[in-house]
Amino acid sequence: MLAGDHLDWTISAELDAADVVLLLLSPDFLASDYCYRIEKGRALIRHRQGTARLISVILRPCDWTHTDLAGFIMTPKDGKAITTWPNRDEAFLDATKSIR
C-alpha cells in the first residue's frame, strides 16, 4: 500500500489476489466489524470457492469456537493461543510448521 491509496480498495484487491490468507485471531480481531465481517468474510468465500487457502493462527485467547471458523483446524496445535505457551518461539515454530 502507498500513501494516498484507498484503504478498502487496497485491502480488497490484496485479498482477491492472495493464494493464502492468514487470519491472526485475537479478541480485537473478533470484535472488529471490519476485520471479522469484511476481511474474514471475503477470505472465507475464496476458501470455499477453492481460490485461496484460509489459515487461522490463534495469537491471543479468544472465543473463536463460537464463530464460523470453528470447523477449521487451527494453528498452533490444539487451538492453544500463542501467548499462552510457556515458550512463544515454540508456539510460532509450531504455527509455521502447520502452515508449511
Side-chain angles (χ1 to χ4, degrees):
M1 291 193 274
L2 301 172
D5 286 351
H6 190 276
L7 187 60
D8 291 341
W9 300 338
T10 303
I11 290 171
S12 181
E14 294 294 331
L15 281 172
D16 287 342
D19 294 323
V20 176
V21 177
L22 293 179
L23 297 181
L24 305 178
L25 302 185
S26 69
D28 295 320
F29 178 88
L30 295 180
S32 168
D33 189 52
Y34 188 85
C35 292
Y36 187 76
R37 188 175 56 83
I38 296 172
E39 293 177 346
K40 184 271 309 170
R42 181 66 188 133
L44 192 55
I45 288 169
R46 294 204 56 233
H47 181 83
R48 289 180 176 152
Q49 292 172 338
T51 58
R53 180 86 172 171
L54 173 63
I55 301 171
S56 297
V57 179
I58 306 168
L59 293 181
R60 294 176 23 226
C62 57
D63 195 15
W64 61 267
T65 60
H66 295 288
T67 71
D68 50 357
L69 299 172
F72 295 89
I73 296 172
M74 298 285 172
T75 189
K77 67 181 172 186
D78 300 328
K80 186 177 175 187
I82 286 176
T83 59
T84 65
W85 286 53
N87 183 323
R88 287 189 187 170
D89 288 337
E90 288 179 7
F92 280 112
L93 178 60
D94 183 83
T96 300
K97 287 180 177 179
S98 295
I99 294 167
R100 186 171 293 124

